[in-house]
Amino acid sequence: MPRTHVHTQKREAMMEYQKIFVSMICYITPLSVVLYVLLFHTLPTKVSAANYYVNFVAPVIVEKSKLSYGNSANWKYLRKKIFEVQGDRCLCCGKKSEQLHVDHIKPKSRYPHLEFMIDNLQVLCPECNMKKSNSHETDYRKTEHLVSLVREINNNKLLQRKYVYDFKVLEKLANKRFKAEMKNRSYMQVLPIV
């Protein structure tokens, strides 16, 4: 009798293990299928290497010293400086307006670390800003705006210390555009990846 009891217990234990195993397979199989589809079908077709770098890698490797999180006082200061440097006309269409916007060339939704960086800002009218949206990274600044910005940053220690992401890139961009303008050529309107 005790032998049958042992067999019954073994059989019950084996059935419990089988139930656990079957339930694990029921959970793991759909998860593995979803992961397979995501990793080998969706991601490679939807995200190019450049977009992957810009969206996932670049924000992670930003130097902590360059990160600047601000508030409304910081924004008012930057807005005032941008209007001093770039004037009171839309850089895209040239229209003078009472309600000009300060646009982020590289959108803050994708580049949050550039939100309070003066080298990422430009003046646009509401219509041009809406057209540009956050889907384009078009830089409408002219050579004189870039040169004025470089001068302003050189003369302003606060801007240098807190509100400039990459001054060397800004200087190179100003030089390239100046040389292109001198040769009557067009220049790129998309900022380099930062």
Side-chain angles (χ1 to χ4, degrees):
M1 222 42 181
R3 199 168 198 180
T4 335
H5 183 65
V6 170
H7 282 295
T8 309
Q9 283 180 337
K10 284 183 180 179
R11 192 174 293 149
E12 287 175 1
M14 187 62 102
M15 288 175 63
E16 283 299 315
Y17 287 129
Q18 286 175 345
K19 286 180 187 176
I20 292 171
F21 182 71
V22 168
S23 63
M24 282 177 54
I25 288 193
C26 289
Y27 287 117
I28 291 174
T29 303
L31 180 64
S32 61
V33 168
V34 167
L35 283 173
Y36 173 80
V37 168
L38 181 70
L39 291 175
F40 296 106
H41 292 287
T42 307
L43 282 179
T45 58
K46 299 284 184 192
V47 180
S48 68
N51 284 342
Y52 177 80
Y53 178 81
V54 167
N55 294 330
F56 301 107
V57 178
V60 173
I61 60 172
V62 172
E63 299 173 39
K64 290 190 181 229
S65 64
K66 295 291 185 186
L67 281 176
S68 179
Y69 297 101
N71 54 29
S72 60
N74 302 105
W75 182 247
K76 285 178 187 174
Y77 174 74
L78 285 173
R79 185 175 164 80
K80 180 181 166 218
K81 284 291 175 196
I82 280 297
F83 282 117
E84 285 174 12
V85 171
Q86 297 179 2
D88 59 350
R89 291 188 178 276
C90 174
L91 298 182
C92 179
C93 68
K95 184 168 61 172
K96 197 170 188 174
S97 172
E98 290 285 324
Q99 300 174 343
L100 289 171
H101 291 183
V102 174
D103 171 60
H104 292 86
I105 299 164
K106 292 195 173 287
K108 61 184 178 181
S109 59
R110 287 187 283 159
Y111 303 90
H113 59 287
L114 299 177
E115 182 176 357
F116 291 95
M117 298 298 156
I118 198 163
D119 46 340
N120 187 44
L121 302 175
Q122 64 186 350
V123 175
L124 294 180
C125 66
E127 293 81 23
C128 291
N129 195 16
M130 291 298 287
K131 274 192 270 180
K132 180 184 170 284
S133 179
N134 68 347
S135 56
H136 302 289
E137 297 178 10
T138 309
D139 181 3
Y140 294 107
R141 297 175 296 183
K142 308 278 187 281
T143 304
E144 61 267 18
H145 302 128
L146 293 170
V147 171
S148 297
L149 185 58
V150 167
R151 283 189 193 132
E152 181 67 33
I153 291 168
N154 274 330
N155 296 330
N156 189 325
K157 299 289 184 199
L158 178 63
L159 285 178
Q160 287 175 17
R161 187 170 40 88
K162 203 171 176 190
Y163 299 114
V164 177
Y165 184 73
D166 196 335
F167 185 68
K168 289 180 182 174
V169 169
L170 182 66
E171 277 184 318
K172 285 180 187 175
L173 183 64
N175 286 333
K176 281 183 183 176
R177 289 196 180 172
F178 179 73
K179 288 175 184 173
E181 205 171 273
M182 294 305 286
K183 294 178 181 176
N184 291 325
R185 292 188 187 155
S186 60
Y187 50 82
M188 64 176 183
Q189 285 193 306
V190 178
L191 287 178
I193 293 175
V194 289

